[in-house]
Amino acid sequence: MDKMGYPVLTEKTIRLLEKNQYSFNVSAQSDKAEIKKWIELFFGVKVGSINTHALPNKKKKIGTITGYTVRYKRIIITLKSGYSIPLFSSK
C-alpha cells in the first residue's frame, strides 16, 4: 500500500468524476495489475479500466546543485457502473 499515492483534485479530474473516473498519483514502479488489486481491496469497488501516464521530470535547483523532483505516475481509474469511491462522495 506504500506505493499508492494520493488523489489528485484539479479542474480536469473534477470533471472526470461525472464519468465515474478517479485520478491518483502512485509510485513509478507500480503496474496496472497491482494498482487494480489495491484499489479493489481498499475501497471495495470494481475497476473497469486503468489508464496510466508518467509525468515529466521537473528541474529543481538548490544553491549550485541541480537535480530533479521525484518520479511518479498518474493513473485514471474508471469504475464499473454502480460503484463509487466514498472519498469523493458529495454526501
Side-chain angles (χ1 to χ4, degrees):
M1 190 62 186
D2 57 341
K3 292 184 180 181
M4 284 299 297
Y6 50 89
V8 177
L9 292 175
T10 62
E11 290 180 22
K12 181 179 179 180
T13 59
I14 290 171
R15 284 194 311 265
L16 290 175
L17 291 176
E18 297 171 1
K19 299 177 185 176
N20 209 19
Q21 295 179 334
Y22 300 89
S23 182
F24 292 90
N25 285 342
V26 296
S27 172
Q29 292 79 26
S30 48
D31 59 350
K32 288 184 180 184
E34 184 179 18
I35 294 167
K36 180 178 178 179
K37 182 180 93 172
W38 281 112
I39 293 292
E40 288 181 348
L41 286 174
F42 188 71
F43 293 111
V45 296
K46 294 290 181 183
V47 175
S49 65
I50 297 177
N51 295 330
T52 64
H53 68 279
L55 298 169
N57 280 345
K58 292 186 178 179
K59 205 178 252 191
K60 283 279 195 179
K61 187 172 181 180
I62 301 173
T64 58
I65 300 171
T66 302
Y68 293 95
T69 58
V70 178
R71 283 290 287 198
Y72 60 92
K73 280 187 201 177
R74 182 161 294 162
I75 61 170
I76 298 175
I77 299 170
T78 304
L79 299 180
K80 293 186 177 180
S81 62
Y83 291 98
S84 67
I85 294 179
L87 178 65
F88 296 108
S89 68
S90 59
K91 294 181 181 177

